[in-house]
Amino acid sequence: MLDKVQEDRARKLQAIRDLGIDPYGGRYDTAEDIASILGRFQEPKEGQVADAAGRLVLLRDMGKMIFAHIRDQTGQMQICLRKDQPARPPKGLEGRDWDLAKLLDLGDIVGASGPLMRTKTGEITIFADRLALLCKSLEPMPEKFHGLVDVEIRYRQRYLDLMTNPESLEVFRKRIAIIEHFRERLKARGFVEVETPMMQAVYGGAAARPFTTHHNTLDCDLYLRISPELYLKRLLVGGMNKVFEINRNFRNEGLDTRHNPEFTMMELYQAYADYEVMMGITEELISTAAETVGGSAKLRYGEMEMDYSRPWPRKTYDELLREHAGVSMRHPSALRAKARQLGVEEGNKDDAVVADEVFKLTVEPELAKMDRPIFVKDYPAELCPLTRRKTDDPSVALRFECFIAGMEIANAYTELNDPAVQEANFRQQLRGEAEGETMRVMDEDFVTALRHGMPPAGGLGIGIDRVVMLLTNQQSIRDVVLFPLLRPETK
């Protein structure tokens, strides 16, 4: 069946060429967005005209009249193609244009212009007196009336998903809007957008396994960055007081509905601020983005209605452990007993690591049930080597994580700027390499930068992909990443 369809389209391709028409078109920059055309239509005003371009997604050939729907990135509308009959205005298509109309298929990209009117059935329609073929499609559109539903094909051939599923296109339009909204809000606060290296000789800023590559000319290994943090902090040292970057991070880890090895992160740093300031920024960015793209501070996510209105609740890490696990990170023996009860092998692990495993098993499932975002703050210091510690309690790091629907959305610190403590923390990480830590080489230059003096600062990282998931009600990260990583196809 497919071969027959392809043969028929190839035959039409040749017939179009025989008409002297280039089947792959050319410049056509007179078209107006479909949403704009539909929005400006007035009735009973006469003499309105329109010029649109898009992909044919519906064709009804009625002999001397063809009704078609074309779609662009802003919407969909009807065009009427009919053979010109001088006695029946408005003017239709003459000669070669009409011959072309009879050779069109679903999936072809066309331009059409002419009077703009409403049909007897009430649909706003361009009655074309000019038709241009901009690209002949040689493959049939999938699921032509119901959209593309095969999940594997949607991810592998995203162009088909966007072509046939307006809902998918709208998700990615909202993604763009969310990112632009973040940019505008930060720039209004005086932040400047910067770019830092994607390939790094020494990686750092997170605990993750990197992707490794090799530079032939320099004959050295390089790493795709796991975080831009240490470079952005260098900019604070250099005197750039408010900086942010929206770009890719790469972590050589597993794939699931919340993780993709290549993901988009926004990181920002503000001199003379702290993690409390970062909480305010996080609330502002996400709550106003919800109102911008969703029209409300309350948006559906799965079975829940999430309320993004400010302020968001704040609880300490230890408060939540005591509430949901019945133990405190300040009582290691009780904590380890709880860990054993939960089936955690705790014998050779530090107290902070044991606390975190208990937290993940007991607290995080409860956070997933909340219909509000929550800030979890004041983490065990041993888990946070780049974070300033509380002056009156060095066992606690001035760090928060923001959880929404059980997902970690943001991570922020009051930044550590004491070079001696930072160097000691790095060396502690290096000693942990044998236990599975991923830091292999200390970033000596970053320590040198701190020795020149970095102002006290707050730093924040927000996972863009997860925010988009939440604000567009998508349950998988693959539905908000245009081209997610997939296992290679087997022939």
Side-chain angles (χ1 to χ4, degrees):
M1 181 66 178
L2 179 60
D3 289 344
K4 185 178 183 304
V5 171
Q6 291 169 331
E7 288 172 6
D8 183 59
R9 291 189 177 222
R11 179 186 58 78
K12 289 181 179 180
L13 178 75
Q14 186 57 51
I16 290 168
R17 286 193 166 121
D18 291 342
L19 290 172
I21 297 172
D22 182 351
Y24 297 104
R27 178 173 175 175
Y28 194 93
D29 55 1
T30 57
E32 182 181 353
D33 287 346
I34 285 174
S36 173
I37 294 171
L38 297 175
R40 68 172 172 79
F41 177 74
Q42 300 177 15
E43 54 185 354
K45 184 178 178 181
E46 296 183 356
Q48 298 176 80
V49 296
D51 187 347
R55 188 179 296 276
L56 289 168
V57 294
L58 184 145
L59 272 174
R60 297 195 307 272
D61 191 336
M62 304 166 67
K64 293 185 178 181
M65 184 176 292
I66 302 169
F67 284 100
H69 284 183
I70 62 172
R71 183 183 296 156
D72 70 7
Q73 65 177 352
T74 69
Q76 178 174 311
M77 75 174 300
Q78 181 168 269
I79 61 173
C80 177
L81 310 174
R82 69 183 183 89
K83 191 172 185 179
D84 186 41
Q85 302 173 60
R88 291 184 57 195
K91 188 177 185 298
L93 300 174
E94 297 178 315
R96 194 174 68 164
D97 280 0
W98 175 248
D99 293 338
L100 170 63
K102 300 297 283 187
L103 294 169
L104 294 177
D105 287 303
L106 287 174
D108 291 351
I109 301 173
V110 302
S113 60
L116 185 66
M117 299 185 291
R118 197 182 289 276
T119 64
K120 292 179 181 179
T121 59
E123 190 162 1
I124 300 170
T125 303
I126 297 174
F127 286 80
D129 55 30
R130 184 167 69 96
L131 176 67
L133 179 62
L134 303 176
C135 187
K136 181 66 182 171
S137 172
L138 300 180
E139 296 285 341
M141 291 180 68
E143 295 288 329
K144 59 183 178 181
F145 294 114
H146 305 291
L148 181 64
V149 295
D150 187 298
V151 172
E152 180 78 7
I153 295 176
R154 286 180 58 213
Y155 297 153
R156 288 194 185 278
Q157 296 176 283
R158 181 67 81 185
Y159 49 89
L160 295 180
D161 180 32
L162 299 176
M163 181 191 304
T164 58
N165 292 332
E167 300 82 6
S168 291
L169 184 59
E170 182 61 19
V171 166
F172 290 104
R173 285 169 58 85
K174 287 183 176 180
R175 179 189 175 102
I176 293 166
I178 290 165
I179 293 172
E180 286 305 306
H181 179 82
F182 283 2
R183 281 195 170 100
E184 290 169 7
R185 284 277 171 167
L186 289 177
K187 289 177 181 177
R189 282 176 164 263
F191 283 83
V192 294
E193 187 170 9
V194 298
E195 295 177 320
T196 60
M198 292 282 196
M199 293 191 298
Q200 302 176 354
V202 179
Y203 63 88
R209 182 177 293 108
F211 289 94
T212 305
T213 187
H214 187 81
H215 192 287
N216 293 333
T217 301
L218 296 179
D219 191 25
C220 67
D221 285 341
L222 295 171
Y223 307 95
L224 294 182
R225 74 173 182 199
I226 59 175
S227 168
E229 177 170 347
L230 302 187
Y231 283 91
L232 291 170
K233 287 181 177 178
R234 285 171 167 92
L235 299 181
L236 294 181
V237 174
M240 299 178 72
N241 287 345
K242 291 183 177 182
V243 295
F244 77 97
E245 181 172 10
I246 302 175
N247 223 320
R248 298 290 193 278
N249 288 349
F250 306 85
R251 298 181 184 177
N252 197 349
E253 298 168 348
L255 297 88
D256 59 32
T257 57
R258 297 181 178 184
H259 296 87
N260 194 59
E262 175 185 4
F263 62 97
T264 303
M265 178 71 74
M266 182 181 75
E267 287 206 23
L268 62 91
Y269 294 85
Q270 179 176 339
Y272 315 118
D274 64 7
Y275 76 150
E276 295 286 348
V277 174
M278 297 299 109
M279 287 188 207
I281 292 175
T282 304
E283 282 181 332
E284 176 192 335
L285 292 177
I286 298 178
S287 64
T288 56
E291 293 168 359
T292 297
V293 302
S296 172
K298 294 183 178 181
L299 298 179
R300 176 68 54 183
Y301 184 70
E303 300 300 315
M304 303 173 66
E305 183 178 68
M306 296 301 303
D307 183 357
Y308 295 98
S309 57
R310 295 176 277 176
W312 297 351
R314 294 153 164 76
K315 287 198 173 184
T316 69
Y317 187 95
D318 201 50
E319 281 179 313
L320 289 166
L321 265 181
R322 286 186 275 111
E323 181 178 345
H324 297 294
V327 294
S328 169
M329 66 183 191
R330 302 182 184 282
H331 299 102
S333 58
L335 188 65
R336 290 181 179 275
K338 183 66 176 182
R340 289 191 295 273
Q341 179 186 334
L342 294 169
V344 174
E345 294 291 337
E346 45 78 36
N348 296 321
K349 296 175 181 175
D350 290 339
D351 292 341
V353 174
V354 175
D356 209 45
E357 295 203 25
V358 172
F359 187 93
K360 285 180 168 64
L361 291 170
T362 59
V363 178
E364 290 189 10
E366 298 302 316
L367 300 183
K369 300 174 185 177
M370 295 183 63
D371 62 0
R372 300 285 313 279
I374 182 172
F375 291 113
V376 180
K377 64 178 190 174
D378 299 348
Y379 276 66
E382 290 87 347
L383 300 176
C384 316
L386 296 165
T387 311
R388 184 189 289 264
R389 301 182 179 193
K390 291 187 76 169
T391 303
D392 59 349
D393 187 355
S395 69
V396 172
L398 299 173
R399 170 194 180 186
F400 77 75
E401 288 186 347
C402 175
F403 287 86
I404 308 178
M407 288 190 286
E408 179 206 335
I409 299 301
N411 186 20
Y413 308 152
T414 297
E415 301 297 339
L416 177 61
N417 63 342
D418 182 328
V421 174
Q422 182 63 82
E423 184 173 3
N425 288 350
F426 277 162
R427 295 196 184 284
Q428 179 66 34
Q429 279 188 291
L430 287 171
R431 285 194 291 272
E433 170 64 17
E435 300 173 15
E437 296 291 337
T438 56
M439 182 178 176
R440 300 173 188 170
V441 179
M442 183 166 67
D443 193 334
E444 301 276 2
D445 181 70
F446 178 67
V447 176
T448 299
L450 291 187
R451 290 176 63 83
H452 283 279
M454 186 183 88
L460 167 66
I462 294 180
I464 295 293
D465 305 316
R466 291 183 179 181
V467 170
V468 176
M469 285 175 62
L470 287 161
L471 300 189
T472 61
N473 194 16
Q474 302 300 309
Q475 305 304 306
S476 172
I477 196 170
R478 295 183 178 188
D479 290 319
V480 300
V481 174
L482 278 168
F483 300 102
L485 184 65
L486 300 169
R487 189 182 302 278
E489 278 190 286
T490 55
K491 298 297 184 181

